[in-house]
Amino acid sequence: MKYHPIDRKLFIKNRTNFMTKMKSNSVAVFNSNDIYPISADSTMPFEQHRDIFYLSGVDQEESVLLLFPDSPKEKFREVLFLRETNEHIAVWEGEKLTKEKAFENSGIRTVYWLQDFEKVFFEIMSYADAVYYNTNEHYRAAVETETREDRFIKWSKEKYPAHPVMKSNPILQRLRSVKDQIEIDLIQQACDITEKGFRRLLGFVKPGVWEYEIEAELMHEFLRNRSKKFAYTPIIASGNNANVLHYIENNQQCNAGELILMDVAAEYANYSSDMSRTIPVSGRYTDRQKAVYNAVLRVKDEATKMLVPGTLWEQYHVEVGKIMTSELLGLGLLDKADVQNENEDWPAYKKYFMHGTSHHMGLDTHDYGLLHEPMQANMVFTVEPGIYIPDEGFGIRIEDDVVVQETGAPFNLMRNIPIEADEIEELMNS
């Protein structure tokens, strides 16, 4: 892996927290992701299932984790199964985890090769009364592919039909949404790498540059700082492209006088950062562009202050909408009649700001979190308001990542990334 080793006490703590939430005498199973084919013998780069990584630190395909805290045999309370490595695999694919290295990474002492799974699992299921399966129940999930986890669940239900079934996901939604300090430090590293990429761009962007050239500059900086990739598909949207919320073609030339909306960020050790900045191609904002930019920034700053323990998700977005409405009135994009006659299911401000302001962030860019429960300290959120004006040929989004604190304002993990319009202009013209 490109990233530095992670202290295994994080994964030990995560497993302990999960197991305390399990029903008595039950076993939980977590599978790695598949390596997905493209065609012929080509495959997509491997991405580990975030849940097994969260609980074990194992970042390798064909791995399985079992947790059985009430096992009558101590060795079965935490069990890892790995693909057996050998000299041939090492030559063709590179080093894989040995049993010793797996223990170093995870703190799990019982490690078997995957070929022993069915035999060991049979013994464990003979002791267990119920089984936890790991299904994807994220509120944004739309999975059409049958995953390795899906295939395991299907096989296990046929093999052990008498065992009652429970879900791991509700436990993980709560646990993963509140970050350990080690996790916050890893997200901070991802944000710091993102900062280096953004600062690199400020001296690079000029009229005539292509969106994909900007993408290449970012990827260069991310890779050289131990990030393996963008945390998500990068959006580099010049001019009116910014008014397509998920514009990812990045194939247009950037012209003098335009703005470039960039929603781009690095990952580090599977942890995401998530940044948006909007900069002027020519190095200077017009008066109108700067007025809209500063309006978005004020909304972001005010919204950030509301990310405190006890805040409810739906009410938060209602309050942000009120702030945005005020700014849009000030910019002349809305008038009082628009607001007085608005549909409460689609308020007037939604014409120019149609997406949400924040989402949980961590191992997934849109991370786990139960939206009906109050915010807690050590949750990490984005704050990303925007104003999109197709008639004027530009859109602006500004986004930082912040950590909710026990008291006071959230801690901004992107506090060092230039954000004020004047600072961006100064750096682009220095």
Side-chain angles (χ1 to χ4, degrees):
M1 304 305 165
K2 291 184 173 70
Y3 56 86
H4 293 290
I6 300 170
D7 192 331
R8 68 187 184 192
K9 72 181 183 183
L10 170 64
F11 309 116
I12 294 170
K13 174 184 174 182
N14 291 346
R15 289 195 300 277
T16 299
N17 288 342
F18 184 90
M19 288 188 288
T20 60
K21 304 291 185 183
M22 293 173 65
K23 300 291 185 182
S24 63
N25 209 43
S26 58
V27 60
V29 188
F30 303 90
N31 282 272
S32 289
N33 275 336
D34 285 317
I35 297 177
Y36 290 98
I38 297 173
S39 65
D41 62 346
S42 299
T43 61
M44 299 178 69
F46 176 67
E47 283 289 330
Q48 181 59 295
H49 195 299
R50 298 308 191 238
D51 291 333
I52 191 173
F53 182 80
Y54 175 80
L55 294 166
S56 71
V58 170
D59 201 352
Q60 184 173 294
E61 71 281 3
E62 296 185 59
S63 306
V64 184
L65 170 67
L66 299 185
L67 300 178
F68 186 15
D70 297 326
S71 170
K73 291 188 176 182
E74 185 176 353
K75 69 175 183 177
F76 289 154
R77 291 174 189 169
E78 298 182 340
V79 187
L80 266 179
F81 296 86
L82 304 174
R83 175 187 177 189
E84 183 173 3
T85 190
N86 55 44
E87 291 183 5
H88 177 80
I89 290 172
V91 168
W92 284 91
E93 299 180 30
E95 181 184 358
K96 299 292 181 181
L97 285 174
T98 63
K99 293 181 179 182
E100 294 75 21
K101 187 64 176 177
F103 167 68
E104 288 180 26
N105 287 4
S106 67
I108 296 173
R109 294 190 178 277
T110 304
V111 183
Y112 292 97
W113 297 131
L114 191 59
Q115 64 199 34
D116 296 321
F117 177 80
E118 288 195 35
K119 179 181 67 177
V120 176
F121 189 57
F122 177 82
E123 183 176 354
I124 287 174
M125 289 294 272
S126 71
Y127 302 135
D129 293 331
V131 58
Y132 280 85
Y133 293 134
N134 192 30
T135 52
N136 185 354
E137 298 177 32
H138 189 274
Y139 65 97
R140 290 176 181 252
V143 181
E144 297 182 2
T145 303
E146 185 178 58
T147 66
R148 189 178 186 86
E149 204 81 79
D150 294 332
R151 295 196 304 276
F152 166 75
I153 293 170
K154 186 186 298 183
W155 170 84
S156 181
K157 284 182 175 179
E158 291 177 357
K159 185 80 172 177
Y160 303 98
H163 281 70
V165 170
M166 291 174 287
K167 301 188 298 182
S168 297
N169 193 262
I171 300 174
L172 288 166
Q173 289 273 7
R174 286 191 172 86
L175 294 181
R176 277 184 49 184
S177 67
V178 180
K179 272 50 179 184
D180 183 271
Q181 187 58 48
I182 293 174
E183 294 184 283
I184 292 171
D185 292 343
L186 292 168
I187 299 170
Q188 181 68 75
Q189 286 184 261
C191 292
D192 292 346
I193 295 170
T194 300
E195 177 192 352
K196 291 177 181 180
F198 181 64
R199 288 184 180 274
R200 180 186 181 96
L201 291 182
L202 294 179
F204 175 77
V205 169
K206 59 184 181 299
V209 72
W210 291 76
E211 292 166 347
Y212 58 77
E213 292 181 298
I214 295 172
E215 182 177 348
E217 291 294 308
L218 287 164
M219 193 69 257
H220 175 97
E221 200 66 26
F222 292 175
L223 282 172
R224 70 193 296 264
N225 284 283
R226 292 183 175 269
S227 172
K228 65 182 175 183
K229 63 181 183 63
F230 287 93
Y232 48 89
T233 305
I235 296 168
I236 301 169
S238 59
N240 240 330
N241 294 333
N243 294 307
V244 179
L245 295 182
H246 291 129
Y247 172 82
I248 58 173
E249 285 78 6
N250 302 344
N251 61 2
Q252 298 297 303
Q253 197 168 27
C254 306
N255 301 312
E258 290 181 336
L259 298 181
I260 308 171
L261 188 162
M262 295 178 288
D263 194 333
V264 292
E267 68 81 53
Y268 179 78
N270 293 316
Y271 283 85
S272 293
S273 58
D274 192 354
M275 180 198 75
S276 295
R277 293 291 188 271
T278 308
I279 67 174
V281 175
S282 302
R284 300 284 181 192
Y285 298 92
T286 66
D287 289 345
R288 175 61 169 173
Q289 289 168 348
K290 187 174 283 190
V292 177
Y293 187 97
N294 287 332
V296 175
L297 186 57
R298 285 192 293 271
V299 175
K300 187 195 79 74
D301 290 344
E302 290 303 311
T304 301
K305 295 174 186 177
M306 290 186 268
L307 295 174
V308 297
T311 294
L312 293 172
W313 184 259
E314 288 190 9
Q315 188 58 39
Y316 164 71
H317 281 93
V318 169
E319 294 304 315
V320 173
K322 294 176 182 177
I323 298 167
M324 178 60 79
T325 298
S326 177
E327 292 291 349
L328 292 172
L329 287 167
L331 291 168
L333 292 168
L334 295 179
D335 58 33
K336 290 182 179 179
D338 293 324
V339 179
Q340 290 169 350
N341 298 322
E342 69 182 8
N343 179 347
E344 66 176 31
D345 294 327
W346 191 256
Y349 77 84
K350 288 285 189 180
K351 179 179 179 180
Y352 300 99
F353 174 40
M354 59 291 295
H355 58 79
T357 308
S358 296
H359 57 77
H360 289 83
M361 203 191 68
L363 277 169
D364 289 296
T365 303
H366 297 114
D367 206 22
Y368 283 179
L370 297 167
L371 302 187
H372 60 279
E373 295 190 355
M375 296 178 186
Q376 299 178 48
N378 285 354
M379 287 183 171
V380 179
F381 288 101
T382 63
V383 192
E384 50 181 305
I387 294 176
Y388 308 92
I389 320 174
D391 291 345
E392 298 184 34
F394 69 90
I396 293 172
R397 180 161 66 249
I398 306 173
E399 176 182 19
D400 281 340
D401 305 333
V402 303
V403 186
V404 177
Q405 304 292 287
E406 288 284 359
T407 58
F411 180 77
N412 190 349
L413 296 168
M414 293 186 161
R415 62 201 175 281
N416 296 323
I417 302 179
I419 196 168
E420 296 288 342
D422 291 344
E423 181 184 10
I424 289 172
E425 288 181 334
E426 181 180 346
L427 290 169
M428 292 187 75
N429 290 280
S430 60

